[in-house]
């Protein structure tokens, strides 16, 4: 079978980058054709994304020759490899500068210095995407909203790192080859109180955030000294079935937005007769305004390793995959270190803690695709395909990763398992009530005094959470609740209890835990345009309602903002309503179904007419 994309050949450096990941070629040479296209050869396709990362990081772009070589090594059709390489925003299939500055211009950063940074970089470095040694590009949310504005530095043959808050001077210094500077030697943010204002040096009243700022995130010994691995020890002592009962008794629901009962999910996979079972942690947090998972991963990485081990033990999974978004370089490094230390000390591997069960974790990086936060798109990405959602059913608990029963949970959901195993399911369920039990993390940004991640019991009102953050700044116009796929809340609705049930009663949603405050200086048409542009850019394009609908939605909002309506304003609003109905009813996955949510919410509250008072 001919696996050549073109006549291009990989350079020695490109081959070395791939071979360091995959091991040396069996024949020791670069074959012109691949003769082994059997099951074993095709079974390595899941390494396609890591192989593309290896080339991108070492060379700075993915050439046709490199694609040829990767295709040959993995028995992947060249068209498929090209389709995957061009699917992700962090990969480039065209030559580009060895240093790339990604400037966040999303809802939190855009109006808080992001646009100023973009203008300054244009003046200093040239137009977006151009430059021989350095270039800059616009980026969707980088998950650093509490430190806006933010940039991500992608550097050939060097580690990536984030800079936030990013001044023009610091960004230009980093772009010209300077080190991480204000963010520390490893890209770390030393002052965790900025991201988690509730935990200056630790806070015993908190559960999910209790170790933030208190524990050295690079030390397994320090983690254990602060209660680490007690939850896993209890899980092993009571056995898998009791662990699942505790999870069911807790009434814990998924914290990613869908709110599916976690105990039901674990039990379904544990009972599945087909083997093997897999566990997938969804750490591809990419919703604008969301950064809670990033804070946990950077500050308490061993906690996630322990929580995944508990889930794997309970559901009978011997392998877990941790899929982290590519724009989180510090979290990626700290998780890699935590996994390695846990493996070395016997907390991962063929005989975990000497208790006779096997579980290990493989860390996989995404490459800039919000759609991969959808669970079946994530599975496709892990398997080496484009991150396009699958039709459901079958659900992942029946046929998930590699067609096997799979537990998929997001980061916050898994961290709750530690508290449940330490305190018991009924105690967890006593916090909050109904389908909203336990503590909940919220990401506050925008016009609040102290942006950051806040932990509160379910049932706390929106007003109380805002008071924890020092209150609102300026005269409040609206609160975006639930993220770009959420909706707006007006100032007279701040006493809504933050529960699944409470927010539903006022036509809102908790979504990904975003609370983004807007004062009267905010340009609402611009905010809505940015949200629409985000969904248009992130649509995978697989289904027509989403692929076309997100484009038409952005175009209609742009016409309304410019005052160049086709027909009349009422006709444009009717078009937006029609588009929303089609996307909600006919899109394959949640991206298309929720893409019009915030825009429709704003229109219903007459926020689209309210321009900045500046």
């Amino acid at each position: 079978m001919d696996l050549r994309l073109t006549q291009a050949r990989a350079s020695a450096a490109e081959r070395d980058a791939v071979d360091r990941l995959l091991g040396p070629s069996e024949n020791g040479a670069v074959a012109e054709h691949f003769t082994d296209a059997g099951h074993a050869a095709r079974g390595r396709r899941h390494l396609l994304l890591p192989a593309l990362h290896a080339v991108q990081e070492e060379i700075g772009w993915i050439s046709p020759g490199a694609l040829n070589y990767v295709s040959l090594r993995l028995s992947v059709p060249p068209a498929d490899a090209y389709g995957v390489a061009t699917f992700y925003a962090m990969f480039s299939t065209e030559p580009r500068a060895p240093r790339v500055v990604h400037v966040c211009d999303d809802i939190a950063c855009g109006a808080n210095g992001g646009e100023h940074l973009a203008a300054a970089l244009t003046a200093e470095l040239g137009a977006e995407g151009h430059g021989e040694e350095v270039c800059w590009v616009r980026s969707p949310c980088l998950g650093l909203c509490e430190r806006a504005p933010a940039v991500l530095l992608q550097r050939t043959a060097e580690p990536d790192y984030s800079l936030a808050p990013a001044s023009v001077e610091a960004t230009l210094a980093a772009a010209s080859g300077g080190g991480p500077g204000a963010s520390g030697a490893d890209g770390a943010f030393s002052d965790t109180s900025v991201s988690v204002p509730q935990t200056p040096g630790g806070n015993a009243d908190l559960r999910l955030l209790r170790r933030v700022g208190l524990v050295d995130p690079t030390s397994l010994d320090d983690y254990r000294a602060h209660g680490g691995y007690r939850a896993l020890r209890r899980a092993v002592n009571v056995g898998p079935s009791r662990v699942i009962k505790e999870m069911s008794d807790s009434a814990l629901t998924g914290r990613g937005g869908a709110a599916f009962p976690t105990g039901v999910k674990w039990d379904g996979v544990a009972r599945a007769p087909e083997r093997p079972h897999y566990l997938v942690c969804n750490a591809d947090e990419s919703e604008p305004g969301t950064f809670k998972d990033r804070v946990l991963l950077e500050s308490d990485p061993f906690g996630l390793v322990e929580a995944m081990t508990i889930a794997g033990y309970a559901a009978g999974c011997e392998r877990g995959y941790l899929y982290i978004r590519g724009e989180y370089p510090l979290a990626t490094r700290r998780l890699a270190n935590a996994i390695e230390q846990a493996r070395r000390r016997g907390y991962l591997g063929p005989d975990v803690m000497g208790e006779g069960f096997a579980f290990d974790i493989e860390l996989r990086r995404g490459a800039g695709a919000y759609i991969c936060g959808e669970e079946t798109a994530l599975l496709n990405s892990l398997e080496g395909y484009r991150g396009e959602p699958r039709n459901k059913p079958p659900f992942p608990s029946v046929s998930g990763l590699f067609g096997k029963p799979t537990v998929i949970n997001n980061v916050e959901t898994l961290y709750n398992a530690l508290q449940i195993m330490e305190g018991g399911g009924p105690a967890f369920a006593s916090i909050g009530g109904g389908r909203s039990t336990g503590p909940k993390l919220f990401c506050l940004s925008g016009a609040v005094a102290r942006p950051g991640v806040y932990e509160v019991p379910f049932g706390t009102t929106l007003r109380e959470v805002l008071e924890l953050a020092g209150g609102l700044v300026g005269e409040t116009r609206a609160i975006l609740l639930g993220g770009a796929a959420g909706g707006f809340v007006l100032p007279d609705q701040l006493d809504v209890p933050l529960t699944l049930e409470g927010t539903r009663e006022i036509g809102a949603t908790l979504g990904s835990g975003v609370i983004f405050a807007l004062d009267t200086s905010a340009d609402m048409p611009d905010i809505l345009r940015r949200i629409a542009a985000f969904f248009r850019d992130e649509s995978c394009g697989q289904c027509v309602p989403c692929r076309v609908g997100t484009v038409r939605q952005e175009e209609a909002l742009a016409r309304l903002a410019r005052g160049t309506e086709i027909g009349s304003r009422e006709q444009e609003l009717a078009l937006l309503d029609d588009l929303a109905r089609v996307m909600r009813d006919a899109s394959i996955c949640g991206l298309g179904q929720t893409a019009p949510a915030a825009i429709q919410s704003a229109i219903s509250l007459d926020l689209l007419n309210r321009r900045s008072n500046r």
Side-chain angles (χ1 to χ4, degrees), residues 9-11 15 19 25 27-33 68-69 72-73:
R9 304 288 188 90
S11 68
R15 292 196 301 272
D19 291 347
S25 177
N27 59 15
V30 182
E32 290 294 326
H33 304 275
N68 278 341
Y69 189 69
L72 286 165
R73 291 298 318 272

Side-chain angles (χ1 to χ4, degrees), residues 216-276:
D216 179 356
T218 67
S219 171
L220 175 58
D221 288 332
D222 201 29
Y223 176 72
R224 292 185 60 210
H226 289 87
Y229 282 101
R230 285 191 311 208
L232 178 59
R233 174 55 63 189
R234 180 172 184 266
V236 172
N237 288 342
V238 302
S241 60
R242 178 60 184 273
V243 171
I244 291 176
K245 185 178 187 307
E246 294 281 12
M247 296 299 294
S248 298
D249 289 346
S250 74
L252 171 66
T253 54
R255 301 305 201 230
F260 190 83
T262 305
V264 173
K265 186 178 289 189
W266 290 18
D267 187 50
V269 173
R271 294 175 181 272
E274 190 172 5
R275 297 283 172 165

Side-chain angles (χ1 to χ4, degrees), residues 419-431:
Q419 180 183 350
I420 292 167
M421 292 315 304
E422 290 179 10
F428 187 93
S430 69
I431 303 169

Side-chain angles (χ1 to χ4, degrees), residues 241-328:
S241 60
R242 178 60 184 273
V243 171
I244 291 176
K245 185 178 187 307
E246 294 281 12
M247 296 299 294
S248 298
D249 289 346
S250 74
L252 171 66
T253 54
R255 301 305 201 230
F260 190 83
T262 305
V264 173
K265 186 178 289 189
W266 290 18
D267 187 50
V269 173
R271 294 175 181 272
E274 190 172 5
R275 297 283 172 165
H277 298 170
Y278 291 104
L279 169 70
V280 174
C281 173
N282 183 350
D284 193 57
E285 173 186 60
S286 306
E287 180 108 11
T290 313
F291 48 92
K292 56 187 174 63
D293 291 351
R294 189 209 88 229
V295 170
L296 287 170
L297 299 175
E298 290 177 352
S299 303
D300 191 17
F302 290 99
L304 183 59
V305 174
E306 181 181 5
M308 287 184 67
T309 308
I310 292 170
Y313 172 70
C317 310
E318 294 189 356
R319 178 161 291 274
Y321 287 87
L322 204 174
Y323 188 97
I324 186 169
R325 71 175 300 197
E327 295 93 337
Y328 282 177

